[in-house]
Amino acid sequence: MAGIDFQDDKMHEECGVFGIYSHSDDVALNTYWGLYALQHRGQESCGIVATDGTHMEAKKGMGLVADVFKGGVDGLEGHIAIGHVRYSTTGSSMAYNIQPLRVYFDGGNLALAHNGNLTNAAELRKRLALEGTVFQTTVDTEVVVSLIARSRKKTIEERVAEAANTIKGAFGILVMTDNKLIAVRDQYGFRPLAIGKMDGGWVVASESCAFDLVGAEFVRDVEPGEMLVFENDHDEPKSSRWAESMPAKRAHCVFEYVYFARTDSVIDKQSVYQARINMGRELAKETKDIKADIVISVPDSGTAAAVGYSLESGVPFMEGLTKNRYVGRTFIQPTQKQRLNAVRLKLNPVESVIKGKSVVVVDDSIVRGTTSGKIVKLLKDAGAREVHMCISSPPVTDPCYYGIDTSVRKELIASTHTEEEIRQYIGADSLHYISMEGLKRSLDAMNPEGMCYACFNADYPDNAEETLRQGSKYIFENEG
């Protein structure tokens, strides 16, 4: 915990994308609002690129959306815009990596924003470099830009499709030319991507929660393996299947429902909020032997599941931990003495609620275990009689290669310790992870077999580990 806040012991979704096509709305301003709604998907950098049909202008910077665009979006004129928010892996927080990327090629102006991670990008980057391609960033997104620019196909749609069939892994990509907005989703559907309709245009976003802020109506999700082309304010976008082959089943990221997505989003027809309520209910069914006085959450990601636990068990839900929402990802380094209580910068117990109580604490996951141990100690120091930790996901035993910042396998506590050993490490009176069966039952509006559970069972749908062995993933930084 030294010198970091408790969010550094969480899995991180790395990016969010937003795009708009409209001749009647302020596309840059709407993209700003869209990125604001997607801020939870990336807090380290952001950017917007807009086109008026002839020129593309960009504004990008390190920091939150409100900080980067505190001077407004003046100068970003036009009828198409795309935006990006980013959470990077360690060492890649550089200005030259900020998206969207913008280039000029033989087809004219081009801008691209990407959410996900390309598992064969190292191999492709090496090949392209040997052929003379010069790279100006350390993100895998630039590989996609290079593939499009080097393509011999005639149309931009054909070039994008060829590039999409060359890359592997997870991706939700927005491509913008001076007259078209193109949306592409990987054939497994790892990362989410949805479209919405405005009175005078179209929007595309990583999550449907972004539509409400710009007055757009959710239409549907972009299908896995689908490419949509927007080139008119009112006509339906042109849809085609870019994928030359489709997998036997989909592999939507289950952690979107466990933790990453905002609760007011609907992804692939499944309400995120309802899924988390269901997870809490399943946890309560699986822990009937716990005799608790109250249920509390680790805010905010554990709150919906804690409410579900309370509804199912009849144990009252109370606010036992208060979150300081004004602490960013970095802060002044505390002294060694203060460092021991660094988690209090983000969370502090409400003593009057928990003192003398047997407490069920609901959280979404345990990654390294350091934060859970700090929270248990906080609660016990505040007078909790018992602390029962209930987790709304199974043990995270394996790394993710599809656009989520997880530790290497050896740093994931569940990969090297039993559940009882983890309980002892964090100091809880009991520890219970939701079962895989319970997690699947929580997804009541979609096929639970069409999900990716690789972080729990190392079953990588596209053999990502083998692909990564063919090239060093450290040649460049993973992009969210």
Side-chain angles (χ1 to χ4, degrees):
M1 289 299 300
I4 61 174
D5 68 63
F6 84 105
Q7 286 295 337
D8 285 311
D9 194 25
K10 292 286 187 181
M11 296 172 74
H12 293 286
E13 170 58 74
E14 292 180 350
C15 298
V17 297
F18 183 92
I20 179 171
Y21 187 108
S22 175
H23 284 84
S24 58
D25 287 279
D26 187 330
V27 294
L29 183 60
N30 277 286
T31 302
Y32 166 82
W33 289 119
L35 295 183
Y36 220 110
L38 297 173
Q39 186 74 86
H40 61 287
R41 298 184 74 90
Q43 298 91 47
E44 290 192 1
S45 65
C46 60
I48 297 174
V49 179
T51 181
D52 61 4
T54 304
H55 301 97
M56 278 190 184
E57 297 295 335
K59 185 171 184 179
K60 304 189 284 186
M62 303 297 297
L64 301 175
V65 175
D67 297 326
V68 173
F69 294 97
K70 61 184 177 182
V73 292
D74 292 346
L76 298 175
E77 308 292 340
H79 64 286
I80 315 175
I82 60 174
H84 189 269
V85 290
R86 183 170 191 254
Y87 171 84
S88 67
T89 53
T90 301
S92 60
S93 296
M94 300 296 180
Y96 52 71
N97 285 334
I98 303 173
Q99 293 191 48
L101 301 183
R102 179 185 55 166
V103 299
Y104 185 84
F105 73 123
D106 67 324
N109 291 304
L110 179 76
L112 189 147
H114 165 222
N115 169 32
N117 186 47
L118 309 182
T119 55
N120 68 334
E123 175 190 351
L124 292 173
R125 184 183 175 105
K126 182 178 180 180
R127 189 193 82 192
L128 291 168
L130 290 173
E131 293 174 357
T133 300
V134 176
F135 291 92
Q136 298 182 358
T137 76
T138 60
V139 294
D140 57 357
T141 306
E142 194 174 11
V143 170
V144 186
V145 174
S146 297
L147 289 171
I148 295 172
R150 291 169 63 90
S151 173
R152 302 299 184 186
K153 300 292 184 180
K154 292 183 178 180
T155 68
I156 185 62
E157 293 91 339
E158 290 174 318
R159 288 183 175 213
V160 172
E162 183 180 60
N165 277 295
T166 305
I167 58 180
K168 297 179 181 179
F171 51 90
I173 295 174
L174 296 184
V175 178
M176 182 177 74
T177 67
D178 279 323
N179 51 35
K180 294 179 182 180
L181 172 64
I182 302 173
V184 180
R185 190 180 185 189
D186 71 75
Q187 63 267 55
Y188 287 90
F190 286 115
R191 302 262 68 84
L193 198 61
I195 61 175
K197 184 72 175 71
M198 305 178 74
D199 288 340
W202 296 89
V203 290
V204 188
S206 292
E207 289 184 42
S208 62
C209 64
F211 299 156
D212 299 329
L213 205 54
V214 300
E217 179 183 357
F218 172 68
V219 176
R220 66 176 178 87
D221 298 283
V222 179
E223 293 294 320
E226 183 181 22
M227 177 169 65
L228 292 171
V229 182
F230 302 84
E231 50 186 339
N232 185 284
D233 290 349
H234 301 287
D235 293 345
E236 292 283 328
K238 295 178 181 177
S239 172
S240 62
R241 196 184 82 176
W242 62 262
E244 294 174 354
S245 63
M246 291 291 290
K249 63 179 183 177
R250 299 180 178 187
H252 305 306
C253 174
V254 72
F255 246 94
E256 292 286 353
Y257 304 97
V258 172
Y259 173 60
F260 298 132
R262 262 177 43 168
T263 52
D264 52 340
S265 288
V266 176
I267 299 176
D268 293 305
K269 300 181 177 63
Q270 173 69 59
S271 161
V272 174
Y273 183 77
Q274 189 58 53
R276 291 179 189 171
I277 290 288
N278 294 344
M279 290 170 198
R281 286 186 177 275
E282 292 294 335
L283 273 171
K285 293 174 184 177
E286 295 176 358
T287 57
K288 290 182 178 179
D289 56 326
I290 296 177
K291 306 302 179 185
D293 299 311
I294 59 172
V295 179
I296 71 172
S297 71
V298 177
D300 292 310
S301 57
T303 300
V307 171
Y309 191 106
S310 175
L311 290 171
E312 184 66 32
S313 66
V315 178
F317 169 77
M318 299 189 74
E319 209 172 329
L321 288 168
T322 296
K323 182 178 180 180
N324 182 350
R325 292 172 175 81
Y326 300 97
V327 178
R329 285 193 49 80
T330 60
F331 46 80
I332 296 172
Q333 296 290 320
T335 64
Q336 179 60 35
K337 181 179 179 181
Q338 293 168 332
R339 200 171 284 142
L340 298 175
N341 287 324
V343 73
R344 289 182 183 269
L345 285 166
K346 269 288 180 86
L347 294 175
N348 206 38
V350 182
E351 186 172 325
S352 61
V353 171
I354 63 177
K355 188 173 183 179
K357 302 289 199 317
S358 176
V359 182
V360 165
V361 184
V362 179
D363 201 0
D364 58 88
S365 61
I366 296 178
V367 179
R368 296 175 183 84
T370 52
T371 295
S372 298
K374 293 284 187 180
I375 290 171
V376 171
K377 187 176 188 304
L378 284 179
L379 295 172
K380 291 206 168 185
D381 287 349
R385 189 175 78 254
E386 295 177 334
V387 177
H388 303 278
M389 189 68 73
C390 291
I391 308 301
S392 59
S393 64
V396 177
T397 55
D398 299 278
C400 175
Y401 302 119
Y402 304 116
I404 297 170
D405 176 31
T406 54
S407 305
V408 293
R409 186 175 280 109
K410 66 181 180 180
E411 293 180 1
L412 300 170
I413 190 170
S415 71
T416 55
H417 295 77
T418 66
E419 190 170 319
E420 173 58 20
E421 288 172 338
I422 298 172
R423 182 200 68 77
Q424 293 179 22
Y425 177 76
I426 67 176
D429 292 276
S430 71
L431 169 64
H432 182 80
Y433 293 91
I434 194 172
S435 65
M436 186 67 80
E437 294 74 20
L439 179 62
K440 290 181 178 181
R441 285 192 295 269
S442 302
L443 304 170
D444 59 354
M446 61 191 308
N447 178 11
E449 299 307 320
M451 306 295 294
C452 177
Y453 303 103
C455 53
F456 308 133
N457 59 16
D459 183 9
Y460 299 102
D462 66 346
N463 300 313
E465 282 196 305
E466 182 59 34
T467 300
L468 286 166
R469 289 192 189 100
Q470 298 175 16
S472 171
K473 67 177 180 178
Y474 300 108
I475 291 176
F476 57 90
E477 297 291 342
N478 294 340
E479 182 54 46

